[in-house]
Amino acid sequence: MAKRAIITGILGQDGPYLAKYLLAKNYKVYGMVRRYSNPTFDNLDYVGITNKIEYIEGDMGDESSLMNVIRVVRPDEVYNLAAQSFVGDSWQMAKLTTEVNAIGVLYLLNAIKYISPTAKFYQASTSEMFGLGNTKGYQDENTNFHPRSPYGIAKVYAHMMTINFRESYGLYTSNGILFNHESPIRGIQFVTRKITDGVARIKLGLKDKLHLGNLDAKRDWGFAGDYVEAMYMMLQQKKTDDFVVGTGINHSVKEFVQLSFKYAGIEDWEKYIVIDPRFKRPAEVHELKAKPDKAFKQLGWKPKVSFEELVKMMVEADLKRVKKLL
Ligand code: NAP
Ligand code: G4F
C-alpha cells in the first residue's frame, strides 16, 4: 500500500517541491490548507501537481483541526512546513508568530502522540535559531542558539519540543535545521525573490528603483528543490536525529544583487538601489554559514544547484513572468 504523507504549508515554497518529490516515490500526499476566502494554488501549478494532492483543512492555531487531520489521514509521515515564516514581520506579529510556529507545533505533536504515535514527524527548524551563535564562523548541530527575532525564538521552542517528544514518549521526530533556500516560487517579501522580481521589472521598464535594507548581511543560500530531499532522507533513517542542511558557502545580499543585475544584462546596478531603513531589522542576524558535514555523511545528501545557477534560475523565471504582464 502507498505510504501516506501529510504536508502542512503545502501552498508555500517548500510544500510543492516536497509534494512532487514524494509523489514521484509513489506516496499518497495530503496537503493541509487553512481556510481561505480566495485560495491560490500558483506554486503547486508551477511544479505541475495541483490535481495530484488530496487537500484537507487545518490551521496551526486550532488544535482540534489538527487532531482531525491526523485522525482522518492516519499518516506514515508528517512534514510540518507551516509557519509565519517571514522574519521581518515577526516583531510586529510576535504573538501570532508564537502561536503558529511554536504552540501550533505542540498541538501537532500531541495529535500524533494520541492518535497516530507510529507516524514519523519532520519539523522545519531553521538556521535563524542560531542568530548570533556564530563563534567559529559557521554553524553546525553543536552551535548554541541565540535567536534574534520572535520568529527565531518561536522556532527554538518548536525545535526543543520536537526533541522532547522523542525523548519523553519515544516518538520518531526529526528536526531539519535548514539554511536559507530559494527558488522561482519563493515568497516575494524574501530578499532573493524581491531582488530578482525587482531586477526583472527594472529590465522591462516597469520600475526604476529597488528599495532594500542591509546589503552586508550574509546568508548560505541553496535551492529549495534540493533541500526537500534532505527532509525526506531524515525520515528514512533507522535512528531519529537532527541535521543541519546548507551548502557550506555564504554570500552577501550585495553579491546577490550584483549577480542578478548581471544575469539580466544590466551593468550599472548601483544606480537602481535605494537603501531604505524600513527594510532594516531591529536586531539583525549578520552572517549564517552551515557546516553540513553530518547531513553529507549520514544522509548522503548534497546540494546540486550552485549559488550562480540559483540566481540565474530565479532571474530568468522572473523575466519570463514579468514579460507576461506587459
Ligand atoms: P512559506 O513559503 O512561507 O510557506 C509557509 C506555509 O505555511 C504557507 O503555505 C502558509 O499558508 C502556511 N501557514 C502559515 N500559517 C498557517 C497556519 N496558521 N495554519 C496552517 N498553515 C499556515 O515557507 P517556506 O519557505 O516554504 O518554508 C517552509 C518551512 O520551513 C517554514 O516553517 C519555514 O519557517 C521553514 N524554513 C524555511 C527556510 C527557507 O529558507 N525557506 C529555511 C529554514 C526553515 P498560506 O499559504 O495560507 O499563507
Ligand atoms: O530573505 P530574508 O527575509 O530571509 P531571512 O531573514 O534570512 O529568513 C529566511 O531564512 C530563514 C533561514 O535562515 C528561514 F527560517 C526564514 O523562514 C526565512 O525563510 O532576509 C535575508 C537577509 C536579512 O539579513 C535581511 O536583513 O536579507 C536582508 N535584507 C536586506 N534588505 C532584506 C532586505 N530582507 C528582506 N526580506 N527585504 C529587504 O529589503
Side-chain angles (χ1 to χ4, degrees):
M1 231 175 62
K3 278 194 178 173
R4 300 152 77 85
I6 298 175
I7 302 176
T8 72
I10 188 89
L11 304 181
Q13 171 189 248
D14 292 0
Y17 285 109
L18 176 62
K20 188 168 185 171
Y21 188 71
L22 294 178
L23 286 168
K25 293 196 172 295
N26 290 323
Y27 275 64
K28 181 157 178 59
V29 178
Y30 293 81
M32 191 183 92
V33 289
R34 53 180 168 165
R35 196 220 153 249
Y36 269 104
S37 295
N38 197 2
T40 160
F41 292 82
D42 290 357
N43 289 353
L44 286 159
D45 289 345
Y46 183 88
V47 302
I49 56 166
T50 308
N51 298 326
K52 298 194 172 134
I53 308 291
E54 186 93 33
Y55 299 98
I56 180 158
E57 269 199 350
D59 195 300
M60 295 304 288
D62 186 279
E63 188 168 22
S64 65
S65 73
L66 299 179
M67 294 251 179
N68 187 54
V69 167
I70 300 296
R71 185 183 61 78
V72 170
V73 178
R74 300 278 168 175
D76 296 291
E77 295 173 11
V78 179
Y79 293 88
N80 181 37
L81 309 185
Q84 190 302 91
S85 77
F86 186 53
V87 174
D89 277 352
S90 72
W91 281 272
Q92 296 297 332
M93 295 185 204
K95 180 168 178 278
L96 176 103
T97 304
T98 305
E99 281 169 359
V100 174
N101 298 7
I103 306 303
V105 180
L106 174 61
Y107 293 160
L108 194 49
L109 284 165
N110 265 331
I112 292 169
K113 177 186 151 202
Y114 288 121
I115 301 166
S116 252
T118 56
K120 295 178 174 180
F121 177 77
Y122 173 86
Q123 167 59 15
S125 281
T126 163
S127 51
E128 189 68 17
M129 300 187 306
F130 295 123
L132 293 184
N134 181 23
T135 47
K136 294 180 179 155
Y138 62 79
Q139 294 89 13
D140 66 11
E141 292 79 5
N142 301 314
T143 305
N144 288 337
F145 296 145
H146 185 145
R148 297 272 280 168
S149 61
Y151 168 83
I153 293 165
K155 284 283 187 176
V156 170
Y157 174 94
H159 179 90
M160 295 311 301
M161 203 47 96
T162 297
I163 292 174
N164 189 255
F165 268 64
R166 180 197 306 161
E167 293 177 351
S168 304
Y169 311 117
L171 296 195
Y172 189 115
T173 63
S174 189
N175 287 297
I177 309 175
L178 270 52
F179 283 61
N180 299 48
H181 45 279
E182 319 293 316
S183 73
I185 55 170
R186 179 61 141 153
I188 201 84
Q189 278 185 304
F190 299 92
V191 78
T192 54
R193 219 12 245 308
K194 182 174 169 183
I195 294 166
T196 59
D197 175 75
V199 165
R201 284 170 196 269
I202 289 169
K203 175 75 180 175
L204 297 168
L206 292 181
K207 194 177 168 114
D208 50 19
K209 295 285 179 203
L210 178 55
H211 288 244
L212 292 170
N214 177 14
L215 297 192
D216 296 325
K218 288 188 167 175
R219 290 291 182 273
D220 179 337
W221 279 297
F223 171 52
D226 289 344
Y227 284 44
V228 298
E229 297 187 13
M231 298 176 186
Y232 166 78
M233 287 170 169
M234 279 179 221
L235 295 199
Q236 313 315 312
Q237 299 300 298
K238 272 210 176 94
K239 194 175 154 287
T240 172
D241 208 344
D242 309 312
F243 295 88
V244 154
V245 176
T247 70
I249 303 167
N250 67 5
H251 298 272
S252 65
V253 172
K254 190 181 192 173
E255 285 172 81
F256 199 104
V257 171
Q258 286 170 325
L259 208 51
S260 299
F261 276 99
K262 185 180 148 201
Y263 286 136
I266 303 172
E267 277 182 12
D268 44 356
W269 63 274
E270 275 166 308
K271 79 174 195 206
Y272 299 102
I273 302 298
V274 177
I275 301 300
D276 187 333
R278 283 180 303 158
F279 299 110
K280 293 199 171 163
R281 295 180 176 172
E284 176 66 286
V285 172
H286 301 288
E287 179 164 8
L288 291 171
K289 185 165 81 172
K291 189 164 187 282
D293 297 12
K294 182 174 166 186
F296 285 11
K297 207 166 149 213
Q298 259 174 255
L299 299 178
W301 177 84
K302 280 246 157 64
K304 299 180 197 109
V305 175
S306 70
F307 175 70
E308 290 74 16
E309 287 166 337
L310 174 67
V311 178
K312 192 160 184 280
M313 178 200 304
M314 292 178 69
V315 169
E316 284 173 356
D318 274 322
L319 280 168
K320 205 167 152 192
R321 199 163 0 211
V322 175
K323 254 183 206 145
K324 290 194 185 140
L325 305 175
L326 296 177

